[in-house]
């Protein structure tokens, strides 16, 4: 479950809803009551406001700590630090093509992608055959070190490589594929 | 009759929304009314261009049209529309609350720089300068080298951008600081006295200081490049500014904080207006101190949260900065939580009069919070790698502008009788708010879901899987257009105040 939350866009979408729906319910019920049902001043005691305030602030802090602490193990740099030997693949992006040192990869084998840009801003994004984005790396030209990320494919298939930073009038043609074979 | 007043008189349709009386309040009314009128002209064009983007894909009109419209739509929406509307409302508010004139050379210069700059950029885009509205340097220059657009087009476009930046980073902040701290007070112009400690005024002053401080480095960098393009500075002197890493960092420090400054202003506007719409006439927030604390938290945390634009650039962005950006982005939510509390506690304690002005502002506030949640989700490092580059990110930039604009449009409803001696058409306004909110919700979740599903942003050749999202964008976009039509009608069909 936690893997799904942090490794897919839909996981992020669900967490977003978990914050938004309670907010919408509370906000609309209060506004509706005090605007259309009974707009006379509330008779709530001062101490009740104060305890609500602290409960609300406390809840926000706890929610954000939980969401962020749980995400640490999914940060790419943390994953990279925990990976031993990885297959090295270099990527050079230019307007409007990718030069990838090896496009045949294997399931279960960690791959370190080291990517650079030769001319303008590009990105190197890998898209799952189901259309979801696995990751993107923003590539700025003129940097001394390559942008790196380690990824281990878990499913075989044809993965799409795409540039996601707008890079000129043929930006959408900047696309290729990677083949991941089962082990 | 002032120049501003005359331009309004002579503008068809849009002029009729802001027709002024010639009276002693002209020094605070005329320029804000002119800016509001002008920004809605830009808005109309921008809205239509936005709606055409999915339409271009359905009609298969080609990527060039798509990239042209995305550039024009984004630039017009963010600068001559949203920013200019904010300036109109804030100088009107500063004028009426502090008793200071909202006209004079700086205001006129702002108006000229913003709108002429916008026009020059528009001409450049029509001549092929398809860079999208977040300039990905060095694309503008690389585009010339690779024959995508001509050198003169680049110079024209950069000149336009420079004028717009000067208006936002220097002219407007200096005008507000001048009004707040230096200009002489005229009792006749002071409609509702407020001190600078008032959370509403405080948000405004914080906002302009942010623009001035984070914008000046960008002006230095962009100014150096432009002077080189004009042939004034040699290449050897501007090499530092032409480095992509230099340009991109100063650009995002500004662009990110521009949005945050607009947020500070808009929260300040809600804090300023809500107390005036309370059912028991209390005219105060639940707590000024908590409101001020929320603004301070937003100010401090937002300044360095811009790192979240660079999360996917490891190791050029060391992981410590990525983590810092992640933490700061989430900390802005503490400011938002306190703001939500203050607003709801005020409403609960005093009750509200559900005028269209207040309802649109509260609706805009809800939009702003919904968008804020989407923003902090994508500001988590782990999720950012999944979502950056999808329409989740593009959608966030877009809906935050809609949310902020909704609050200003609500505020314009509130200011409208003071400005024009007319009251808005209540029926049409209420109908507008309903469509506005529902269409917003539809569009917002369409963008977020499309992003979660992996649809890339700024892509001029859609693949078959993405058209379902495009169809929803067309439908909800049409809903928004209808809401905006109702908004215009609620102003043109206003009636004179009777005394
Ligand atoms: Cu590219």
């Amino acid at each position: 479950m936690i893997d799904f939350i942090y490794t897919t866009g839909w996981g992020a979408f669900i967490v977003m809803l978990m914050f938004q729906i309670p907010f919408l319910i509370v906000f609309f019920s209060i506004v509706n009551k005090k605007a259309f049902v009974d707009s006379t001043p509330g008779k709530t005691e001062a101490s009740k406001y104060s305890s609500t305030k602290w409960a609300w602030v406390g809840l926000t802090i706890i929610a954000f700590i939980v969401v962020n602490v749980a995400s640490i193990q999914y940060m790419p740099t943390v994953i990279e630090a925990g990976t031993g030997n990885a297959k090295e693949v270099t990527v050079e992006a230019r307007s409007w093509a990718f030069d990838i040192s090896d496009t045949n990869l294997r399931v279960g084998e960690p791959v370190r992608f080291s990517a650079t840009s030769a001319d303008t801003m590009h990105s190197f994004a890998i898209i799952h055959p189901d259309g979801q984005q696995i990751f993107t790396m923003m590539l700025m030209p003129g940097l001394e070190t390559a942008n790196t990320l380690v990824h281990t494919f878990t499913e075989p298939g044809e993965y799409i490589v795409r540039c996601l930073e707008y890079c000129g009038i043929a930006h959408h043609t900047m696309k290729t594929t990677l083949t991941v074979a089962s082990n | 009759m002032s120049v501003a007043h005359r331009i309004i008189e002579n503008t068809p349709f849009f002029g009729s929304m802001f027709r002024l009386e010639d009276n002693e309040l002209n020094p605070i009314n005329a320029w804000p009314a002119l800016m509001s009128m002008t920004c809605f002209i830009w808005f109309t064009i921008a809205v239509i261009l936005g709606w055409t983007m999915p339409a271009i894909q359905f009609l298969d009109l080609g990527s060039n049209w798509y990239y042209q419209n995305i550039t024009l739509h984004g630039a017009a929406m963010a600068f001559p529309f949203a920013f200019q509307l904010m300036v109109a409302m804030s100088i009107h508010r500063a004028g009426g609350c502090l008793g200071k004139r909202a006209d004079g050379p700086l205001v006129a210069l702002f108006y000229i720089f913003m709108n002429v700059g916008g026009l020059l950029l528009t001409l450049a885009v029509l001549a092929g300068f398809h860079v999208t509205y977040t300039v990905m340097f060095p694309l503008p220059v690389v585009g010339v080298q690779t024959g995508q657009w001509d050198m003169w087009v680049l110079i024209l476009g950069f000149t336009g951008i420079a004028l717009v930046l000067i208006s936002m980073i220097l002219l407007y902040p200096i005008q507000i600081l001048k009004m707040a701290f230096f200009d002489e007070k005229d009792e006749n112009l002071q409609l509702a006295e407020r001190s600078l400690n008032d959370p509403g005024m405080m948000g405004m002053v914080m906002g302009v200081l942010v623009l001035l401080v984070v914008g000046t480095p960008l002006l230095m960098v962009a100014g150096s490049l432009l002077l080189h393009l004009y042939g004034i500075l040699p290449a050897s002197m501007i090499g530092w500014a032409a480095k992509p890493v230099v340009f991109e960092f100063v650009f995002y420090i500004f662009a990110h904080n521009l949005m945050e400054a607009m947020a500070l202003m808009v929260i300040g506007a809600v804090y300023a207006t809500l107390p005036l719409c309370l059912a028991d006439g209390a005219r105060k927030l639940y707590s000024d101190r908590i409101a001020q604390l929320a603004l301070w938290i937003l100010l401090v945390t937002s300044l360095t949260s811009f790192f979240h634009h660079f999360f996917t650039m490891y190791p050029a962005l060391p992981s410590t900065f990525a983590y810092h950006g992640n933490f700061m982005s989430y900390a802005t939510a503490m400011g938002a939580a306190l703001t939500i509390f203050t607003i709801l506690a005020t409403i609960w304690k005093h009750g509200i009069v559900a005028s269209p002005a207040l309802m649109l502002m509260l609706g805009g506030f809800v939009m702003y919070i919904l968008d804020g949640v989407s923003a902090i989700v994508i500001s988590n490092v782990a999720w950012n790698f999944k979502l950056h580059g999808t329409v989740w990110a593009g959608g966030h930039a877009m809906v935050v502008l809609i949310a902020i604009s909704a609050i200003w449009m609500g505020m314009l409803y509130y200011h409208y009788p003071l400005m024009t001696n007319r009251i808005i058409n209540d029926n049409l306004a209420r109908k507008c708010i309903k469509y506005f909110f529902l269409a917003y919700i539809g569009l917002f979740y369409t963008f977020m879901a499309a992003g979660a599903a992996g649809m890339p942003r700024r892509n001029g050749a859609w693949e078959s899987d993405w058209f379902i999202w495009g169809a929803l964008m067309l439908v909800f976009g049409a809903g928004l257009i209808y809401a905006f039509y109702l908004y215009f009608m609620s102003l043109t069909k206003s009636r004179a105040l009777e005394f």
Side-chain angles (χ1 to χ4, degrees):
Chain A
M1 180 63 190
I2 185 165
D3 273 358
F4 171 78
I5 293 279
Y6 286 104
T7 59
T8 66
W10 290 113
F13 190 82
I14 290 167
V15 171
M16 179 180 78
L17 289 180
M18 278 164 48
F19 285 105
Q20 288 170 335
I21 291 171
F23 163 74
L24 280 174
I25 293 172
V26 172
F27 200 95
F28 276 109
S29 39
I30 290 181
V31 169
N32 186 50
K33 180 166 183 336
K34 300 312 275 184
F36 302 111
V37 180
D38 171 19
S39 61
T40 54
K43 293 180 183 58
T44 313
E45 286 164 37
S47 63
K48 192 85 185 290
Y49 282 100
S50 170
S51 54
T52 312
K53 175 178 70 196
W54 292 119
W56 173 239
V57 169
L59 200 72
T60 318
I61 293 177
I62 291 167
F64 291 148
I65 289 176
V66 170
V67 167
N68 278 301
V69 170
S71 79
I72 289 177
Q73 56 174 315
Y74 297 95
M75 290 184 182
T77 49
V78 175
I79 294 170
E80 180 166 1
T83 312
N85 278 342
K87 178 186 173 94
E88 301 286 343
V89 172
T90 60
V91 178
E92 192 187 60
R94 72 166 66 83
S95 303
W96 290 284
F98 290 102
D99 190 353
I100 304 175
S101 65
D102 190 347
T103 57
N104 292 300
L105 307 170
R106 294 195 155 275
V107 166
E109 177 185 47
V111 183
R112 175 177 286 104
F113 293 100
S114 301
T116 52
S117 164
D119 44 28
T120 184
M121 292 276 276
H122 296 287
S123 88
F124 172 67
I126 297 189
I127 321 288
H128 190 277
D130 73 6
Q132 285 206 57
Q133 179 173 315
I134 295 175
F135 64 78
T136 181
M137 295 156 81
M138 190 155 91
L139 309 178
M140 199 181 268
L143 294 177
E144 279 159 27
T145 44
N147 192 334
T148 65
L149 187 144
V150 173
H151 183 72
T152 308
F153 291 91
T154 55
E155 290 165 75
E158 284 265 293
Y159 287 70
I160 297 168
V161 171
R162 206 189 279 285
C163 168
L164 297 181
E165 298 299 339
Y166 177 75
C167 55
I169 55 172
H171 161 62
H172 50 278
T173 62
M174 209 166 149
K175 187 181 160 189
T176 181
T177 53
L178 289 179
T179 309
V180 177
S182 52
N183 231 338
Chain B
M1 206 185 269
S2 68
V3 181
H5 199 161
R6 268 205 304 276
I7 300 175
I8 296 173
E9 288 292 316
N10 292 319
T11 307
F13 184 69
F14 292 95
S16 72
M17 289 169 18
F18 292 96
R19 200 131 291 154
L20 297 171
E21 285 180 8
D22 216 353
N23 61 26
E24 71 286 357
L25 289 178
N26 259 243
I28 58 170
N29 283 338
W31 283 93
L34 175 63
M35 286 179 194
S36 306
M37 180 196 85
T38 313
C39 84
F40 282 117
I41 298 175
W42 285 103
F43 181 61
T44 305
I45 300 166
V47 165
I48 294 168
L49 286 168
W51 193 82
T52 61
M53 283 161 52
I56 286 168
Q57 296 296 330
F58 276 96
L59 298 173
D60 209 6
L61 295 179
S63 54
N64 252 328
W65 276 102
Y66 190 84
Y67 294 138
Q68 171 186 290
N69 289 14
I70 196 173
T71 308
L72 288 175
H73 165 73
M77 214 50 149
F79 308 122
F81 170 59
F83 197 90
Q84 186 162 223
L85 178 59
M86 172 181 93
V87 173
M89 289 298 99
S90 64
I91 62 171
H92 193 242
R93 188 150 59 91
C97 294
L98 302 170
K100 308 283 176 77
R101 295 178 72 99
D103 56 4
L106 272 178
V107 176
L109 269 185
F110 169 86
Y111 180 77
I112 295 167
F113 274 46
M114 172 60 86
N115 292 297
V116 172
L119 273 176
L120 295 183
L121 180 59
T122 302
L123 292 176
V125 177
L126 292 175
F129 193 55
H130 300 170
V131 290
T132 82
Y133 90 112
T134 48
V135 177
M136 287 297 189
F137 196 80
L139 175 63
V141 181
V142 171
V144 175
Q145 290 159 356
T146 51
Q148 299 178 62
W149 44 80
D150 294 329
M151 189 61 168
W152 70 267
V153 174
L154 168 69
I155 294 175
L156 184 68
F158 265 24
T159 305
I161 293 173
L163 291 178
V164 169
L165 288 178
I166 291 169
S167 75
M168 298 198 297
I169 296 169
L170 297 180
L171 301 174
Y172 166 61
I174 293 172
Q175 170 67 21
I176 290 287
L177 294 176
K178 206 165 132 299
M179 288 171 87
F181 299 105
F182 302 106
D183 283 354
E184 220 151 291
K185 189 160 138 182
D186 176 349
E187 305 283 350
N188 297 325
L189 297 178
Q190 194 161 30
L191 304 172
E193 186 171 356
R194 274 175 200 280
S195 78
L196 290 173
N197 289 330
D198 179 284
M201 299 308 274
M202 197 171 125
M204 190 192 294
V205 173
M206 280 178 174
V208 297
L209 283 174
V210 168
L211 289 173
L212 196 59
V213 170
V214 300
T216 306
L218 175 62
L219 273 186
M220 308 286 279
V221 169
S224 305
L225 289 174
L226 192 58
L227 289 177
H228 172 62
L229 291 177
Y230 288 159
I232 297 170
L233 290 182
S236 59
M237 278 180 74
I238 59 103
W240 66 281
K243 281 206 167 102
V245 68
V246 171
F247 192 98
E248 282 297 308
F249 268 81
V250 288
F251 176 79
Y252 271 104
I253 291 173
F254 170 71
H256 167 77
N257 280 297
L258 165 66
M259 291 296 154
E260 299 288 0
M262 288 167 85
L264 284 167
M265 300 253 184
V266 95
I267 300 291
V270 177
Y271 282 155
T273 312
L274 176 61
L276 308 176
C277 308
L278 298 176
D280 64 357
R283 296 181 77 90
K284 59 175 192 243
L285 289 170
Y286 165 72
S287 160
D288 276 359
R289 274 187 309 171
I290 299 178
Q292 284 164 342
L293 175 63
L295 287 170
W296 280 111
I297 293 177
L298 285 171
L299 174 70
V300 172
T301 54
S302 63
L303 276 173
T304 53
S305 52
F306 75 90
F307 284 123
H308 58 215
H309 291 273
F310 300 107
F311 282 167
T312 65
M313 271 181 49
Y314 177 77
L317 187 78
S319 37
T320 176
F321 287 146
Y323 188 71
H324 176 93
N326 183 335
F327 180 85
M328 284 302 184
S329 307
Y330 274 70
T332 59
M334 287 312 306
L338 288 173
T339 306
I340 294 169
F341 175 80
T342 303
I343 288 175
L344 287 181
T346 305
I347 293 174
W348 187 259
K349 193 169 179 189
H350 302 287
I352 47 174
V353 180
S355 64
L358 181 64
M359 294 323 267
L360 185 47
M361 288 186 88
L362 290 178
F365 181 72
V366 172
M367 298 177 195
Y368 171 75
I369 295 295
L370 293 182
D371 170 68
V373 178
S374 79
I376 57 165
V377 166
I378 196 179
S379 297
N380 171 283
V381 175
W383 279 320
N384 193 266
F385 280 83
K386 311 282 166 202
L387 298 171
H388 190 98
T390 71
V391 291
W392 182 303
H396 155 59
M398 192 180 118
V399 294
V400 71
L401 284 171
I402 301 181
I404 287 175
S405 308
I407 300 181
W408 292 122
M409 286 160 80
M411 189 145 183
L412 178 61
Y413 272 166
Y414 192 84
H415 283 223
Y416 194 73
L418 300 171
M419 206 183 252
T420 62
N421 272 331
R422 290 199 309 274
I423 47 175
I424 58 163
N425 185 308
D426 195 85
N427 258 339
L428 289 169
R430 285 178 198 278
K431 208 167 151 197
C432 154
I433 295 167
K434 236 173 267 168
Y435 278 95
F436 197 159
F437 194 78
L438 292 176
Y440 171 89
I441 293 287
L443 208 53
F444 173 78
Y445 285 108
T446 301
F447 272 98
M448 297 305 133
M455 178 178 176
R457 63 174 170 180
R458 301 179 198 149
N459 188 300
W462 287 10
E463 295 184 359
S464 53
D465 294 357
W466 308 338
F467 279 93
I468 174 73
W469 307 115
L472 292 170
M473 288 171 198
L474 282 177
V475 171
F476 293 120
L480 267 189
I481 291 177
Y482 183 57
F484 299 146
Y485 164 77
L486 291 170
Y487 187 86
F488 288 174
M489 285 299 124
S490 71
L491 298 184
T492 45
K493 299 207 167 153
S494 56
R495 60 186 167 79
L497 268 174
E498 285 154 28
F499 295 98

